[in-house]
Amino acid sequence: MTADGVLVLEGRPTAQLIADHLREQIVQGIFRPGQQINESMLAAQLRTSRGPLREALQRLCQEGLLISWRNRGVFVRELSAEDVKEVYFVREAIETAAAKALLGAGQERIDKTCRVLKGIVKDLAKQVAASDWQAIARVDLEFHRAFVAGAENNRLNRIYETLAAESRMCILNLEVSYPRANVLVQEHQNILDLLEARDREGLLDAIAEHMERPDGPYA
Amino acid sequence: MTADGVLVLEGRPTAQLIADHLREQIVQGIFRPGQQINESMLAAQLRTSRGPLREALQRLCQEGLLISWRNRGVFVRELSAEDVKEVYFVREAIETAAAKALLGAGQERIDKTCRVLKGIVKDLAKQVAASDWQAIARVDLEFHRAFVAGAENNRLNRIYETLAAESRMCILNLEVSYPRANVLVQEHQNILDLLEARDREGLLDAIAEHMERPDGPYA
DNA sequence: CCCTCGCCAACTGTTGACAATCTGCATTCT
DNA sequence: AGAATGCAGATTGTCAACAGTTGGCGAGGG
């Protein structure tokens, strides 16, 4: 049931639904890097046929999460150290752009975004207290995604969605534990405060620092 | 025949080949915005079947050049004024990031990139002299693509590829003629000069100005 | 005249089968 | 023994047919 009161049965294209499902599975590490995706087997699991599944796989290939070798199949992308650097470099660029857009968008949007971010920071603190690393990674990225979403730029969001997925793959597969978990909450709170204060220079510096930390990126 | 002397018959996946072909057709305006893609007809034209074609279409949907409505088909995306703003905003962000990466990458990469850009500017001047607007749009974007390519960041390049395609759609479909064509050559030459001089601030400003021109973006 | 209902053609969504290719292993030759 | 060859199984690439949905068109009723 939508907001209009209209029931739309599976309104989105099947390939997109399957792709979203698989993306989630990939970032959760259910498919390991380098692992081949067996089309027949996976299609059977998903109660569909190879056609729609292959269409979904092509979407994820275009996104860069999977890689396709002709006559060999599609495989979960393995992220090299170079890839990790790339992801965090581009994430910084996108978040910086989002910050600029957000600051130029008026108080209302900033307030709205801050309200969302506050809730996420609170959630983050809870997960840090519980030392649930998987959840910390998820909530951490949820913060950044919400931040970028504040820019209300569809292309920025779409791009960041993929980068966030790749980041989760990094965290999961490089098995990087979060160093100094309490600093993590502090840093996100800092970004939030700077946004609320509309401190342009401070915010841009904080984002750059957050992404280029000397002890290596982690989220 | 590859550089290794090995003949690889169609090494790339079919869906990718078809997607690349269609992307080119779309930016050339052979498919009009809002137009439906008839799968059977197009598959027949390409001497293939609907299966591989649909996989290619899904790639372009993921890219955002096409849009898929369930049980209705896929259509060429129509770009609103808001979309155009988004594209140019993100392009500025990506080019800015590329400039930063390039400046921090050492003289060798900068020189190599400048050599490429010089050739493109020369080509641009030629097309401007000939007043071939279609070619001007192509070469203009070739300049920016080469600029971003200098950063040697695969994700940056991939993202920019889509943005460049969308830009060409804008130019073609909004039928925006290039204002002040000679200034066009001058501006690109300026960016090139600033890069060669490693003038960080000047380069970043020039990029921002180039993308945020008051008379509206054009390429 | 306008609205509604039901039919029809066209198209998309899905499936199962067939063809082509690759990988691994056993066999054979040097 | 080591390398090359041929075979077998599995998997991907491709296709054509079938099923389901949509939107338009015309007949019929208010």
Side-chain angles (χ1 to χ4, degrees), chain A residues 9-17 23 51 54-56 58-64 68-70 77 79 82-83 85-87 89-90 93-94 96-98 100-101 152-156 158-159 162-163 166, chain B residues 9-17 23 51 54-56 58-64 68-70 77 79 82-83 85-87 89-90 93-94 96-98 100-101 152-156 158-159 162-163 166:
Chain A
L9 184 62
E10 302 286 8
R12 286 157 52 191
T14 310
Q16 196 178 327
L17 291 170
R23 191 184 302 106
R54 281 174 62 92
E55 291 171 14
Q58 290 300 320
R59 284 184 96 107
L60 296 173
C61 286
Q62 185 64 31
E63 231 180 298
S68 168
W69 296 85
R70 188 182 179 90
R77 185 85 186 275
L79 297 178
E82 189 62 34
D83 285 315
K85 276 189 209 159
E86 280 194 17
V87 168
F89 181 81
V90 181
I94 299 298
T96 299
K100 289 177 183 171
E152 288 184 12
N153 182 312
N154 294 315
R155 281 159 186 82
L156 230 43
R158 183 194 292 255
I159 291 167
T162 301
L163 293 168
E166 290 183 300
Chain B
L9 184 63
E10 302 286 7
R12 286 158 48 189
T14 310
Q16 196 179 329
L17 291 170
R23 190 184 302 106
R54 281 174 62 91
E55 291 171 15
Q58 290 301 321
R59 284 184 95 107
L60 295 173
C61 285
Q62 186 63 32
E63 226 178 302
S68 169
W69 297 86
R70 188 184 181 88
R77 185 84 187 276
L79 297 178
E82 189 62 34
D83 285 315
K85 275 189 209 159
E86 281 194 15
V87 169
F89 181 81
V90 180
I94 299 298
T96 299
K100 288 176 183 171
E152 288 185 11
N153 181 312
N154 293 315
R155 282 161 184 81
L156 230 44
R158 183 194 292 255
I159 292 167
T162 301
L163 293 168
E166 290 182 300

Side-chain angles (χ1 to χ4, degrees), chain B residues 120-132:
Chain B
I120 297 175
V121 169
K122 202 173 274 182
D123 192 6
L124 182 61
K126 200 194 312 178
Q127 302 300 346
V128 166
S131 293
D132 181 348

Side-chain angles (χ1 to χ4, degrees), chain B residues 134-179:
Chain B
Q134 179 96 355
I136 290 172
R138 182 173 44 76
V139 177
D140 186 338
L141 279 161
E142 184 58 34
F143 178 94
H144 291 274
R145 195 149 39 194
F147 184 90
V148 173
E152 288 185 11
N153 181 312
N154 293 315
R155 282 161 184 81
L156 230 44
N157 276 303
R158 183 194 292 255
I159 292 167
Y160 201 80
E161 205 67 35
T162 301
L163 293 168
E166 290 182 300
S167 293
R168 287 185 68 179
M169 285 178 70
C170 294
I171 297 165
L172 198 66
N173 299 314
L174 297 179
E175 291 179 4
V176 178
S177 64
Y178 276 80

